Amino acid sequence: MDAVRVALLRDVLAGTEWLGATRRFAGALRGSVVSHGGGLLLVGTPEYEPWHLAAHLVDEAAWSGTPELAPTLVRHGARPSDPAHLAVGLGRLEAARRGETLLVVAPGEPAAPLLERVSDARRAGATLLSLGPGDGELPALAHETLAVPPGAELDLDTVQHLVSAAAGENALPPPRGRRRFRDRLSRLADLLTAPPPARW
């Protein structure tokens, strides 16, 4: 989904809770990786690997000048013969430490072996974010959760597009009103206090 389609989707969703929820979650994601200098691990389930979200976050990292957003995709079926960006296996979760962020994307509650690894990564100090089920052990473990329950107005893939786009936003648009007036007043003060232009 390109930026134009994301903008159209945001227009359609104006007035719903989805825009605020995805922006809050994206803010938590971006805040975690930027404050720690990177180290974003992205993992799904054996049946649902979020490679599409990984690709969008790589793009957003480049466009926004925020390299910390570029994730390492951790795969269940990774093989040494895979390309480097697809060859990182679940053993990487065992090496997760303080300062790293682990984003788990799953359409339902992950199986026990993944939950154990995720829980170990959290105990080791990693920040845990969950995108998917609203109930269960995974959201209970997570520092931040964005619930996308089955049957919600938006599916998990669409929500991922909104989250990745929001994570790449460099700043919120300036609010209208009082601040705008202050900005104009500040500019006027700068003009009035600037030295006069040189005359020849």
Side-chain angles (χ1 to χ4, degrees):
M1 189 178 293
D2 59 27
V4 172
R5 288 185 181 150
V6 170
L8 290 172
L9 179 59
R10 285 176 170 169
D11 284 345
V12 169
L13 295 172
T16 70
E17 64 184 45
W18 285 109
L19 290 185
T22 53
R23 281 198 164 117
R24 276 190 301 278
F25 186 80
L29 170 62
R30 184 176 173 131
S32 178
V33 297
V34 170
S35 66
H36 292 113
L40 174 58
L41 304 174
L42 178 60
V43 67
T45 66
E47 303 78 26
Y48 189 91
E49 291 193 331
W51 58 268
H52 202 94
L53 176 58
H56 281 294
L57 285 171
V58 167
D59 289 344
E60 293 295 340
W63 295 332
S64 67
T66 312
E68 300 89 350
L69 280 175
T72 297
L73 179 61
V74 177
R75 299 182 61 230
H76 291 262
R79 297 174 306 230
S81 60
D82 289 336
H85 68 287
L86 298 175
V88 179
L90 291 177
R92 179 61 181 87
L93 297 183
E94 295 167 12
R97 296 290 175 258
R98 183 171 306 283
E100 292 185 301
T101 302
L102 174 57
L103 173 55
V104 181
V105 180
E109 180 75 2
L114 178 59
L115 286 172
E116 288 172 19
R117 290 175 189 256
V118 166
S119 179
D120 290 345
R122 181 186 162 125
R123 274 196 297 276
T127 300
L128 176 59
L129 290 90
S130 160
L131 180 56
D135 298 314
E137 195 172 335
L138 178 60
L141 284 171
H143 294 97
E144 189 76 31
T145 298
L146 178 56
V148 187
E153 302 87 3
L154 298 181
D155 63 13
L156 187 57
D157 290 335
T158 303
V159 171
Q160 289 175 69
H161 285 291
L162 291 170
V163 167
S164 62
E169 292 175 343
N170 281 319
L172 294 174
R176 298 192 178 270
R178 194 178 310 182
R179 181 165 184 165
R180 195 169 186 163
F181 175 73
R182 265 192 244 152
D183 291 344
R184 288 192 307 235
L185 190 59
S186 175
R187 179 162 164 67
L188 177 61
D190 288 344
L191 289 172
L192 292 173
T193 59
R199 295 184 188 260
W200 300 102

Coordinates of all heavy atoms in Angstrom, one line a residue, residues 1 8 23 38 45 54 63 77 82 97 102 114 125 129 140 151 174-175 178-179 195:
M1 N 0.9 -1.2 0.0 CA 0.0 0.0 0.0 C 0.9 1.2 0.0 O 1.8 1.4 0.8 CB -0.9 0.0 1.2 CG -1.9 1.0 1.2 SD -3.1 1.0 2.7 CE -3.9 -0.5 2.4
L8 N -5.8 7.9 1.8 CA -7.2 7.7 1.6 C -7.8 6.8 2.7 O -9.0 7.1 3.1 CB -7.4 7.0 0.2 CG -7.1 7.8 -1.0 CD1 -7.1 7.0 -2.3 CD2 -8.1 9.0 -1.1
R23 N -1.6 5.3 15.7 CA -0.5 6.3 15.9 C 0.1 6.2 17.3 O 1.3 6.4 17.5 CB -1.1 7.7 15.7 CG -1.3 8.1 14.3 CD -1.4 9.6 14.1 NE -1.2 9.9 12.7 CZ -2.0 10.5 11.9 NH1 -3.3 10.7 12.3 NH2 -1.7 10.8 10.7
G38 N 18.1 1.7 18.2 CA 17.8 0.6 17.2 C 17.7 -0.7 17.9 O 17.4 -0.8 19.1
T45 N 4.3 -15.8 13.6 CA 4.1 -17.2 13.9 C 4.6 -18.1 12.7 O 4.8 -17.5 11.7 CB 2.6 -17.5 14.2 OG1 1.9 -17.3 13.0 CG2 2.1 -16.6 15.3
A54 N 7.9 -5.9 7.6 CA 9.3 -5.7 7.7 C 9.7 -4.8 6.5 O 10.5 -3.8 6.6 CB 10.1 -7.0 7.6
W63 N 12.9 6.6 4.3 CA 12.2 7.9 4.0 C 12.2 8.9 5.1 O 12.3 10.1 4.9 CB 10.8 7.6 3.5 CG 10.7 6.8 2.3 CD1 11.6 6.8 1.2 CD2 9.6 5.9 1.9 NE1 11.2 5.9 0.2 CE2 10.0 5.4 0.6 CE3 8.4 5.5 2.5 CZ2 9.2 4.5 -0.1 CZ3 7.6 4.6 1.8 CH2 8.0 4.1 0.5
G77 N 11.2 -20.6 10.0 CA 11.8 -21.6 9.1 C 13.0 -21.1 8.4 O 13.3 -21.5 7.3
D82 N 19.2 -19.2 2.9 CA 18.3 -18.0 2.6 C 19.1 -16.8 2.4 O 20.2 -16.7 3.0 CB 17.3 -17.8 3.7 CG 16.2 -18.9 3.7 OD1 16.0 -19.6 2.7 OD2 15.6 -19.1 4.8
R97 N 18.3 -8.6 24.3 CA 18.8 -8.0 25.6 C 18.1 -6.6 25.8 O 17.5 -6.1 24.9 CB 20.3 -7.8 25.6 CG 21.0 -9.2 25.6 CD 20.9 -9.9 26.9 NE 21.5 -11.2 26.9 CZ 20.8 -12.4 26.7 NH1 19.5 -12.4 26.5 NH2 21.4 -13.5 26.7
L102 N 11.2 -5.9 20.7 CA 10.7 -7.1 20.1 C 9.2 -6.8 19.7 O 8.4 -6.6 20.6 CB 10.8 -8.3 21.0 CG 10.2 -9.6 20.5 CD1 10.7 -10.0 19.1 CD2 10.4 -10.7 21.5
L114 N 6.9 -20.2 21.2 CA 7.2 -18.8 20.9 C 6.9 -18.0 22.1 O 7.7 -17.1 22.4 CB 6.3 -18.4 19.7 CG 6.6 -16.9 19.3 CD1 8.0 -16.6 19.0 CD2 5.7 -16.5 18.1
G125 N 15.3 -8.0 29.4 CA 15.3 -6.6 29.3 C 14.8 -6.0 28.0 O 14.7 -4.8 27.9
L129 N 6.4 -5.5 22.3 CA 5.2 -4.9 21.7 C 4.5 -6.0 21.0 O 5.1 -6.9 20.4 CB 5.5 -3.8 20.8 CG 6.1 -2.5 21.4 CD1 7.6 -2.5 21.5 CD2 5.6 -1.3 20.6
A140 N -0.7 -9.9 27.7 CA -0.4 -9.8 29.1 C 1.1 -9.6 29.3 O 1.5 -8.9 30.2 CB -0.9 -11.0 29.9
G151 N -12.7 -10.4 13.3 CA -14.0 -9.8 13.1 C -14.0 -8.3 13.3 O -15.0 -7.6 13.2
P174 N 1.6 20.8 12.9 CA 1.4 21.8 14.0 C 0.0 22.1 14.2 O -0.8 22.2 13.3 CB 2.2 23.0 13.4 CG 2.2 22.8 12.0 CD 2.2 21.4 11.7
P175 N -0.4 22.2 15.5 CA -1.8 22.4 15.8 C -2.2 23.8 15.4 O -1.3 24.7 15.4 CB -1.8 22.3 17.3 CG -0.4 22.5 17.8 CD 0.5 22.0 16.7
R178 N -3.7 28.9 18.8 CA -2.8 29.7 19.7 C -1.3 29.5 19.2 O -0.6 30.5 19.1 CB -2.9 29.3 21.1 CG -2.3 30.3 22.1 CD -2.5 29.9 23.5 NE -3.9 29.6 23.7 CZ -4.4 29.2 24.8 NH1 -3.7 29.1 25.9 NH2 -5.7 29.0 25.0
R179 N -0.9 28.3 19.0 CA 0.5 28.1 18.6 C 0.9 28.8 17.3 O 1.9 29.3 17.1 CB 0.8 26.6 18.6 CG 2.3 26.4 18.3 CD 2.6 25.0 18.6 NE 4.1 24.9 18.3 CZ 4.8 23.9 18.7 NH1 4.3 23.0 19.4 NH2 6.1 23.9 18.4
P195 N 19.5 42.6 12.2 CA 20.2 43.8 11.8 C 19.7 44.2 10.4 O 19.3 43.4 9.6 CB 21.6 43.3 11.7 CG 21.6 41.8 11.7 CD 20.3 41.4 12.3

